[in-house]
Amino acid sequence: MDITLELLKKYAEKECTKQEKLAVELWVDEFKEEGSSLSKDELIAIKMEMWDNMSFDMEAPMTNKHKLGIIREDPQTVEVQIYRKIIRYAAAVIVFCGISLSTYYFLNDPSQINQEEHAYIEKYRSVKTQRGEKRTVTLSDGSTIRMNYETEISVPEHFEGDERIVYLTGHAHFNVVRNPDKPFIIYTDKSKTQVLGTSFDINTKGTNETEIIVTSGKVAFSEKGQEKNLVTLKVNDRALLHADKSIATSKVNAGKLTAWKDDILVFEGETLKEIIKVLEPWYDVNITVEDSEKLSQQYNVSFNNPSFETLIEQMSFMGKFKYSWDGAAVIIY
């Protein structure tokens, strides 16, 4: 999330959402010296003035702080401390004006984020895919993340500490390099997944559900913050974390259900209505079906990295329908 003057003003007026409030406070904490007598509100007030007028002279900050009511018991000592802070913060703001401030990834109510997560958040960068886009991200340890469309991950430039932590919302396939001394952990808004080295699929796009499918190795899967409610999954195991916090497991064909990572589309008994829900974001098109009876027609077909033109042509032959396509809008009739 970018820290803008408008966002700082919202914070000062107590109009921020919980997510915005956390972002601002993380931003302030990053540049706040230990033992500082200034509160967050005072620091934000200083930063707002600097952001609003980056060309103030060396004497102006002292006057500004008198106006803000910051000077207290020992004016001379406090003025020196504040003056030094202003110079430091001014430099920080100048740098921040030239770069994105996506320093954290918000996955839960701020009050639920533990200290460990809080410490990692500031060092992370966000990577997003849009509708119609897929991409692969390679992490510093060699692990890879294959991101499906409309997905976001938060990852560090380098893993520090005793754990490798990543944050996810959306749908992604993980291929984790084994390291018994440094567990790999994925947090979503509702779940925690921990592995030493394996491959698996995590999907948070279901309605209030989080799905995980294991393609190799062993995975520990639990509700976030409730590790006692944990299941251990192996190859071809699937788990669903439901809205009621229960976890259901089953055996599946992991290869088929995770084929998307290799740009393979597999439909076995899906209706045209169900298939359209996959095709629209996959190809970034909008599909309209004029004959509603065609929506219940089922298909058994797979496509290996097809262009949309190839796919719709083959499906029209199988489903005996006609279509028109102008590059963004598709009409089936």
Side-chain angles (χ1 to χ4, degrees):
M1 178 181 294
D2 291 343
I3 306 300
T4 63
L5 178 59
E6 289 71 21
L7 181 56
L8 292 180
K9 288 179 177 178
K10 283 181 65 178
Y11 183 97
E13 295 169 0
K14 303 187 185 305
E15 295 179 352
C16 282
T17 64
K18 289 183 178 180
Q19 183 174 354
E20 292 169 337
K21 183 174 182 290
L22 178 62
V24 172
E25 291 180 350
L26 288 175
W27 182 60
V28 172
D29 286 343
E30 186 171 353
F31 293 95
K32 185 175 181 181
E33 296 176 353
E34 290 186 9
S36 169
S37 60
L38 299 180
S39 69
K40 290 183 185 295
D41 289 342
E42 290 166 342
L43 288 172
I44 288 170
I46 292 171
K47 287 189 174 187
M48 286 176 66
E49 290 219 358
M50 287 190 299
W51 206 309
D52 223 2
N53 183 8
M54 295 295 289
S55 61
F56 59 84
D57 61 31
M58 297 296 282
E59 295 300 323
M62 308 309 297
T63 303
N64 288 339
K65 263 165 290 312
H66 279 89
K67 292 178 179 178
L68 291 169
I70 293 174
I71 296 181
R72 293 180 248 199
E73 302 86 38
D74 184 351
Q76 184 174 359
T77 301
V78 176
E79 283 189 10
V80 172
Q81 292 175 346
I82 295 175
Y83 185 82
R84 294 174 67 180
K85 290 178 185 293
I86 292 253
I87 300 303
R88 183 179 176 213
Y89 292 144
V93 171
I94 290 171
V95 172
F96 270 42
C97 285
I99 62 174
S100 170
L101 294 179
S102 299
T103 57
Y104 84 104
Y105 184 66
F106 184 83
L107 290 167
N108 205 349
D109 185 302
S111 63
Q112 300 301 314
I113 294 180
N114 60 40
Q115 292 181 353
E116 179 183 74
E117 292 177 69
H118 193 283
Y120 274 88
I121 281 172
E122 296 184 14
K123 303 174 184 178
Y124 277 43
R125 62 186 177 92
S126 179
V127 182
K128 298 180 182 180
T129 55
Q130 306 301 318
R131 180 181 163 99
E133 177 189 10
K134 291 178 287 294
R135 67 184 295 184
T136 299
V137 175
T138 301
L139 306 183
S140 59
D141 67 339
S143 299
T144 59
I145 304 175
R146 178 62 170 168
M147 301 171 63
N148 208 342
Y149 55 81
E150 296 178 325
T151 292
E152 182 174 0
I153 59 173
S154 187
V155 296
E157 294 294 341
H158 300 283
F159 288 113
E160 299 177 4
D162 298 328
E163 296 175 324
R164 296 170 287 172
I165 297 179
V166 172
Y167 299 87
L168 165 74
T169 183
H171 189 192
H173 187 85
F174 293 80
N175 191 356
V176 177
V177 172
R178 183 173 177 79
N179 185 346
D181 299 322
K182 202 164 188 173
F184 194 101
I185 298 173
I186 303 98
Y187 286 107
T188 72
D189 60 342
K190 296 182 177 65
S191 69
K192 175 182 177 181
T193 302
Q194 181 168 328
V195 303
L196 298 178
T198 182
S199 57
F200 50 93
D201 211 77
I202 300 180
N203 191 355
T204 69
K205 292 183 179 181
T207 304
N208 295 320
E209 292 181 333
T210 301
E211 177 189 56
I212 181 168
I213 299 171
V214 181
T215 52
S216 71
K218 185 185 295 185
V219 171
F221 181 69
S222 65
E223 178 192 352
K224 186 177 180 181
Q226 297 292 331
E227 282 73 15
K228 292 182 180 179
N229 183 21
L230 180 148
V231 295
T232 301
L233 307 171
K234 298 180 180 180
V235 179
N236 290 325
D237 282 344
R238 173 180 182 255
L240 270 180
L241 174 60
H242 298 293
D244 63 2
K245 301 182 180 180
S246 65
I247 298 178
T249 61
S250 60
K251 286 291 185 180
V252 295
N253 183 335
K256 171 199 166 186
L257 295 179
T258 64
W260 68 268
K261 71 183 187 300
D262 300 314
D263 295 319
I264 297 174
L265 287 168
V266 180
F267 302 115
E268 292 185 359
E270 280 90 348
T271 65
L272 180 60
K273 183 178 180 178
E274 293 169 329
I275 292 172
I276 287 173
K277 290 179 180 179
V278 175
L279 298 183
E280 286 186 323
W282 185 282
Y283 291 102
D284 192 16
V285 295
N286 295 310
I287 301 174
T288 302
V289 180
E290 293 189 341
D291 183 356
S292 60
E293 291 185 0
K294 296 187 183 298
L295 290 171
S296 58
Q297 191 166 349
Q298 294 182 323
Y299 292 79
N300 291 286
V301 62
S302 65
F303 301 95
N304 190 345
N305 195 24
S307 65
F308 182 74
E309 183 177 11
T310 297
L311 182 146
I312 195 66
E313 182 65 27
Q314 290 187 25
M315 287 194 63
S316 69
F317 177 77
M318 296 173 61
K320 299 179 180 180
F321 62 74
K322 295 182 179 179
Y323 69 94
S324 62
W325 173 43
D326 66 3
V330 182
I331 300 176
I332 293 175
Y333 54 92

